[in-house]
């Protein structure tokens, strides 16, 4: 666990604000958003969370998630309805934690941060993987086949459940 996560302060009087970020904001980060929202809803905790996603790339602004990701997620009971957008400097103030999917996202998120405090909020998704995880990042599925999308959803489901448990405990302290 990074120092930031060990020391993160979450105001118990406000919702936990989580922003997921990937490159295109049409595959991994909107899927993470939908999966964490589903975990939160199943725990009747929607009032305590604000969840969003964004990309570092501009290609798909205004679009729904990739149809392949939507159909794989739907098979797991999750509807992805996010509209693609690019991360803004305001996001670094607004969110408590900004989660990137791979090393490239993390470098880009740190480069784009408007302040040291903002850069400190950037955390890699693998921090929430179970020890048994077979990957140490969330691979870009865009040029992959069905297995690539299933792998991403497996990794995200594991990480989002662990994130829910970890951040809920800190929020309630
Ligand atoms: P994502 O996948 O970062 O998980 O949304 C990608 C989607 C689109 C592109 C790259 C990655 N693209 O180059 O258009």
């Amino acid at each position: 666990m990074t120092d930031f996560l060990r020391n993160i302060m979450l105001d118990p009087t406000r919702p936990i604000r989580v922003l997921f970020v990937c490159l295109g904001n049409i595959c991994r980060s909107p899927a993470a958003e939908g999966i964490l929202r589903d975990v939160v809803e199943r725990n009747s905790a929607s009032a305590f969370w604000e969840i969003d996603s964004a990309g570092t790339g501009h290609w798909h602004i205004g679009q729904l998630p990739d149809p392949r990701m939507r159909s794989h997620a739907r098979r797991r009971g999750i509807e992805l309805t996010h509209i693609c957008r690019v991360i803004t400097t305001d996001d670094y103030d607004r969110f408590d934690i900004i989660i990137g999917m791979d090393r490239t996202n993390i470098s880009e998120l740190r480069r784009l941060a408007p302040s040291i405090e903002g850069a400190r909020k950037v955390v890699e998704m693998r921090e929430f993987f179970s020890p048994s995880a077979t990957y140490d990042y969330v691979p870009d599925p865009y040029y992959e086949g069905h297995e690539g999308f299933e792998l991403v959803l497996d990794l995200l489901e594991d990480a989002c459940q662990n994130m829910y448990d970890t951040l809920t405990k800190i929020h309630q302290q």
Side-chain angles (χ1 to χ4, degrees):
M1 203 186 258
T2 60
D3 282 348
F4 171 74
L5 272 184
R6 245 191 305 276
N7 300 321
I8 191 171
M9 306 277 275
L10 296 171
D11 184 342
T13 67
R14 287 161 64 173
I16 307 170
R17 288 157 301 179
V18 177
L19 181 67
F20 293 107
V21 181
C22 60
L23 178 59
N25 191 218
I26 55 166
C27 295
R28 293 167 292 176
S29 61
E33 177 190 338
I35 289 168
L36 181 60
R37 191 164 282 139
D38 182 61
V39 173
V40 165
E41 280 167 12
R42 283 192 279 107
N43 284 276
S44 309
S46 298
F48 307 113
W49 291 77
E50 261 178 50
I51 306 163
D52 197 2
S53 68
T56 59
H58 293 65
W59 311 284
H60 302 282
I61 295 172
Q63 296 177 12
L64 278 167
D66 186 293
R68 297 167 294 172
M69 186 52 99
R70 287 169 64 205
S71 100
H72 281 269
R74 188 175 299 124
R75 281 192 235 153
R76 298 182 187 217
I78 293 167
E79 284 298 323
L80 302 181
T81 56
H82 175 77
I83 299 297
C84 175
R85 72 178 184 89
V86 170
I87 188 165
T88 65
T89 49
D90 284 352
D91 288 326
Y92 287 87
D93 278 336
R94 208 176 111 217
F95 290 92
D96 297 310
I97 179 164
I98 298 172
I99 298 166
M101 298 293 145
D102 61 30
R103 293 299 307 157
T104 312
N105 298 155
I106 297 296
S107 323
E108 191 63 2
L109 284 169
R110 295 211 170 111
R111 192 182 69 76
L112 293 168
S115 64
I116 291 168
E117 296 76 52
R120 276 173 46 79
K121 294 179 176 179
V122 175
V123 171
E124 195 171 345
M125 191 58 154
R126 69 167 176 181
E127 295 288 339
F128 295 100
F129 286 3
S130 293
S132 57
T134 48
Y135 268 70
D136 64 358
Y137 65 104
V138 185
D140 183 349
Y142 193 63
Y143 295 105
E144 303 295 329
H146 293 303
E147 325 74 51
F149 286 86
E150 287 296 310
L151 168 66
V152 166
L153 290 171
D154 288 343
L155 292 169
L156 295 178
E157 281 184 347
D158 171 58
C160 285
Q161 183 62 56
N162 293 334
M163 181 183 305
Y164 175 81
D165 295 341
T166 304
L167 296 186
T168 297
K169 262 190 219 131
I170 295 169
H171 193 229
Q172 287 171 349
Q173 272 167 12

